Amino acid sequence: MNKKVLEKYAELIVKVGLNLQKGQRLFIAAGLNTAPIVREVTAKAYQNGAPLVTVLWDDEELKKIRHQYAPRDSFEEFPEWVTTGVLENAKRGDAYLSVTGLNPDLLAGFDPELIALELKTRAKHFKPALNLISNGGVQWTVICPPTPKWAAKIFPELSEDKAVEKLWGVMKKLCRLDYDDPVSAWRKHLSDLSKRHDYLNEMQFDTLHFRGPGTDLKIGMPKDHIWKGGGSKTQSGVDFTANLPTEEVFSMPHKDRVEGTLRSTKPLNYFGNLVEDFNLTFEKGRVVEFSAKKGEETLKKMLDSDENAKQLGEVALVPYYSPISESGLIFFNTLYDENAACHLALGSAYRANIKNGLEMSDEELDAAGVNDSLIHVDFMIGSDEIDLDGITPDGSVIPLMKKGAWAFEV
Ligand code: ZN
Ligand code: ZN
């Protein structure tokens, strides 16, 4: 990649992603294979006046080594100091940047049960920190810059070097780094997204109805649900953008009011294990039937992660005609693939997607229809064949998407 592109990317991350404030510290969790962009972001952060940038390095190969050699009964072990550190940094108000470029095949072929247990253990320990961060405690951003094994998975016909180079070329478009001024291009795009969610918030649809090949799904929405998208705000009112790139507006389904069937439109990547061409049937909000052409065992393990893993926590609208979708690529990476298509997530909902969600007790959230689980796994149901209607509380039907494109003006 060239230095100019890296610099523009880093500037976008610091200004639009994190919106790092004067005097604010930055905490970065990053994979070793992403060091070039981490260095560039660190430079930009200091140039912006950050008093301290700390990086917690990880190496994905070590994860694989653990699955290869560690005792089978040791996957509930966890280094508490890591999560204590993340929580302390968040409590102090450090902005949080996650930089990953995972090899989608890293854990392919390893025991899905141990993979699930490792994730569950990790999720359990990270929960207090993630609750604070993802519910508006501080600005946070997730990015996935190109890395060799991942790029080679997307472009299997190329060598790793060539694949990385090609992926940077794609990334430039997806992150709008090919604009003269990516920062202002993003501000405009984010404002378009916010007009969309303002409209949806005003309408307060009772039900969303998705229709397409293999899909006829009615999703009940909780009372006082909130659509978000593009930019976010911390509880203290600082704007930030959690995902770069982002094309979605999203809210939460009512966990007990989902009925019908759906067919996935892209592979779901569950930590290296792909689930492809799967169908889910819902009754009273829960998955009661499932099948997959590939990876059914992984899907089953995922659905059995905990009591509420069979219920939905997110519904997101993404027009089919967006840069990511137009690239025509499958990225094997949720950050990109989820921004290519309308999607749902099994597992936890974001409390910020319902009025007063951050103040409600667990019992109140449950009563309001908010799902809580250790997992949050996105999967795609959008395509250029999907139609979506919003049904208002008084029963009027309003088209929201037709053949994958927005059907309403803002
Ligand atoms: Zn989403
Ligand atoms: Zn999601």
Side-chain angles (χ1 to χ4, degrees):
M1 86 253 40
N2 81 34
K3 172 93 174 150
K4 259 228 150 65
V5 172
L6 265 192
E7 274 177 16
K8 276 184 161 181
Y9 191 28
E11 184 171 18
L12 189 67
I13 293 159
V14 171
K15 292 203 169 146
V16 176
L18 298 164
N19 188 15
L20 203 63
Q21 301 292 291
K22 275 263 159 315
Q24 187 177 21
R25 298 165 45 143
L26 172 60
F27 183 78
I28 305 176
L32 282 183
N33 53 6
T34 65
I37 186 64
V38 172
R39 293 185 193 119
E40 209 62 54
V41 167
T42 302
K44 279 276 179 288
Y46 283 130
Q47 285 162 17
N48 265 267
L52 185 67
V53 180
T54 315
V55 184
L56 177 67
W57 293 107
D58 198 1
D59 174 23
E60 61 177 12
E61 291 299 320
L62 296 181
K63 192 189 276 256
K64 186 156 126 193
I65 292 169
R66 184 176 186 194
H67 280 272
Q68 269 171 324
Y69 302 115
R72 305 292 92 178
D73 61 357
S74 66
F75 283 75
E76 279 174 291
E77 294 281 333
F78 194 85
E80 274 86 18
W81 65 269
V82 171
T83 39
T84 311
V86 174
L87 182 61
E88 268 172 23
N89 285 310
K91 275 187 181 157
R92 198 175 41 209
D94 297 11
Y96 182 80
L97 176 66
S98 163
V99 189
T100 56
L102 285 184
N103 168 11
D105 289 336
L106 184 73
L107 297 179
F110 286 98
D111 183 355
E113 204 155 322
L114 287 186
I115 296 173
L117 180 59
E118 189 198 4
L119 287 171
K120 202 166 160 174
T121 304
R122 192 183 159 79
K124 196 171 81 193
H125 283 89
F126 262 105
K127 198 157 190 186
L130 278 194
N131 272 348
L132 180 61
I133 293 168
S134 68
N135 290 322
V138 292
Q139 311 101 282
W140 58 279
T141 301
V142 176
I143 59 158
C144 297
T147 52
K149 293 223 159 49
W150 171 40
K153 171 86 181 171
I154 303 173
F155 305 111
E157 70 287 0
L158 300 179
S159 68
E160 285 188 1
D161 285 356
K162 287 254 155 45
V164 166
E165 205 175 300
K166 183 153 182 179
L167 188 53
W168 270 110
V170 173
M171 210 62 66
K172 232 165 83 174
K173 283 215 170 63
L174 306 191
C175 294
R176 297 172 169 80
L177 301 175
D178 52 346
Y179 285 68
D180 289 340
D181 183 356
V183 169
S184 62
W186 270 94
R187 292 203 168 122
K188 184 178 175 305
H189 170 59
L190 295 169
S191 124
D192 288 347
L193 287 176
S194 76
K195 284 181 198 149
R196 300 256 168 223
H197 66 61
D198 286 350
Y199 168 81
L200 293 166
N201 283 333
E202 202 177 301
M203 294 304 289
Q204 281 292 310
F205 289 108
D206 173 74
T207 303
L208 301 177
H209 187 188
F210 283 96
R211 274 163 297 124
T215 296
D216 187 350
L217 187 71
K218 284 195 167 158
I219 297 180
M221 300 296 288
K223 194 171 171 292
D224 293 329
H225 63 269
I226 295 172
W227 288 90
K228 291 180 163 280
S232 307
K233 245 190 214 328
T234 63
Q235 288 174 41
S236 57
V238 181
D239 291 311
F240 68 99
T241 310
N243 289 346
L244 274 180
T246 183
E247 306 289 337
E248 64 172 344
V249 292
F250 62 99
S251 187
M252 65 163 76
H254 189 296
K255 69 183 173 70
D256 302 320
R257 289 185 53 219
V258 183
E259 303 284 340
T261 54
L262 66 82
R263 179 180 299 165
S264 67
T265 52
K266 281 173 186 277
L268 177 162
N269 170 31
Y270 192 57
F271 296 89
N273 292 281
L274 291 186
V275 184
E276 292 179 53
D277 294 325
F278 59 96
N279 296 283
L280 302 176
T281 302
F282 289 83
E283 270 174 34
K284 295 201 176 74
R286 296 182 79 84
V287 174
V288 291
E289 255 176 67
F290 64 89
S291 65
K293 281 223 176 91
K294 241 179 116 179
E296 194 171 284
E297 193 55 23
T298 302
L299 180 61
K300 182 177 180 330
K301 289 271 149 57
M302 197 185 91
L303 290 168
D304 287 339
S305 304
D306 63 15
E307 207 192 322
N308 301 332
K310 288 191 175 73
Q311 286 167 281
L312 295 180
E314 180 187 351
V315 52
L317 310 184
V318 182
Y320 181 75
Y321 304 93
S322 70
I324 295 175
S325 174
E326 278 168 357
S327 76
L329 295 167
I330 291 180
F331 290 91
F332 305 98
N333 176 308
T334 303
L335 178 65
Y336 296 96
D337 289 325
E338 82 160 337
N339 279 300
C342 289
H343 57 272
L344 305 172
L346 284 159
S348 235
Y350 295 109
R351 290 169 171 221
N353 282 130
I354 194 162
K355 196 173 156 194
N356 300 326
L358 300 172
E359 288 89 53
M360 285 188 209
S361 67
D362 288 351
E363 292 71 31
E364 287 169 322
L365 288 164
D366 189 65
V370 181
N371 202 31
D372 182 32
S373 164
L374 290 173
I375 68 162
H376 175 102
V377 181
D378 299 284
F379 60 94
M380 309 316 131
I381 60 163
S383 70
D384 57 351
E385 296 181 291
I386 205 99
D387 291 338
L388 170 66
D389 291 332
I391 302 167
T392 62
D394 64 12
S396 321
V397 177
I398 296 174
L400 297 178
M401 294 187 117
K402 276 199 176 134
K403 303 279 170 231
W406 291 119
F408 64 97
E409 297 293 326
V410 286

